[in-house]
């Protein structure tokens, strides 16, 4: 069952994270890493409804040449045949047409050239905090526009700052 696989993966992630942290940082550092890992897993579970929608949408493109990768805190679908740009849904990112995760662009009015993959990664963290509430909050604050605080924060993250608006 999908649920059992998700639970097993979450525990494996937590214990793997804690084990490597003990080796690198000692017990105190490993407890902090375990806490961060637990928050990360909880956020991914909270974002799961949107991640499932994004994953199902991405998988629909596989017969048309979509490639799948795991990076930028997400399952990534590249070369999506319908549309262009990038779309994040939970912890899934769909890159349409001529858009790739490593591409540098001026995004949403920002004068800097920013990495698209890092910009979308910023959105994955926003989803992990707001879960199913992200899309209503996103559209209530301006939708796909340069004035949206979520887009500005994702730009900020791609430039080395915080992902939170």
């Amino acid at each position: 069952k999908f649920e059992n696989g998700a639970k097993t993966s979450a525990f494996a992630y937590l214990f793997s994270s804690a084990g490597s942290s003990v080796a690198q940082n000692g017990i105190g550092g490993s407890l902090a890493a375990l806490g961060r890992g637990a928050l990360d897993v909880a956020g991914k579970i909270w974002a799961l409804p949107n991640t499932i929608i994004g994953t199902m949408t991405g998988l629909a493109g596989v017969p048309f040449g979509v490639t799948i990768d795991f990076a930028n805190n997400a399952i990534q679908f590249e070369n999506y045949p319908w549309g262009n740009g990038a779309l994040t849904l939970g912890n899934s990112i769909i890159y349409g047409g001529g858009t790739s995760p490593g591409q540098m662009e001026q995004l949403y009015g920002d004068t800097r050239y920013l990495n698209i993959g890092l910009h979308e990664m910023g959105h994955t963290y926003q989803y992990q905090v707001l879960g199913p509430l992200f899309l209503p909050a996103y559209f209530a604050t301006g939708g796909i526009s340069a004035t949206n605080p979520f887009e500005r924060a994702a730009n900020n993250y791609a430039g080395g700052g915080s992902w939170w608006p």
Side-chain angles (χ1 to χ4, degrees):
K1 289 172 62 175
F2 179 81
E3 178 184 1
N4 292 338
K7 288 177 185 175
T8 301
S9 295
F11 282 109
Y13 175 82
L14 282 173
F15 289 115
S16 170
S17 173
S20 66
S21 181
V22 168
Q24 292 175 357
N25 305 318
I27 296 295
S30 68
L31 291 176
L34 183 60
R36 286 189 302 274
L39 283 174
D40 187 54
V41 169
K44 283 178 172 56
I45 292 168
W46 179 227
L48 192 57
N50 290 308
T51 303
I52 290 171
I53 293 167
T55 301
M56 299 308 290
T57 302
L59 289 172
V62 169
F64 302 96
V66 166
T67 58
I68 302 171
D69 188 21
F70 292 92
N72 296 316
N73 197 39
I75 180 171
Q76 298 186 135
F77 300 92
E78 295 180 52
N79 302 315
Y80 201 74
W82 304 290
N84 56 17
L87 171 68
T88 301
L89 291 165
N91 289 95
S92 65
I93 306 171
I94 300 169
Y95 296 94
T99 307
S100 67
Q103 194 170 325
M104 303 294 282
E105 294 284 334
Q106 288 181 315
L107 303 168
Y108 298 98
D110 202 305
T111 58
R112 301 169 291 175
Y113 281 87
L114 301 169
N115 179 284
I116 292 176
L118 292 177
H119 172 94
E120 299 304 323
M121 185 177 181
H123 288 312
T124 68
Y125 292 125
Q126 294 166 356
Y127 269 101
Q128 284 182 216
V129 170
L130 295 175
L133 304 175
F134 175 79
L135 285 176
Y138 179 86
F139 286 111
T141 55
I144 303 169
S145 73
T147 60
N148 188 317
F150 291 103
E151 291 298 347
R152 289 195 314 264
N155 280 354
N156 191 38
Y157 182 75
S162 173
W163 47 262
W164 187 248

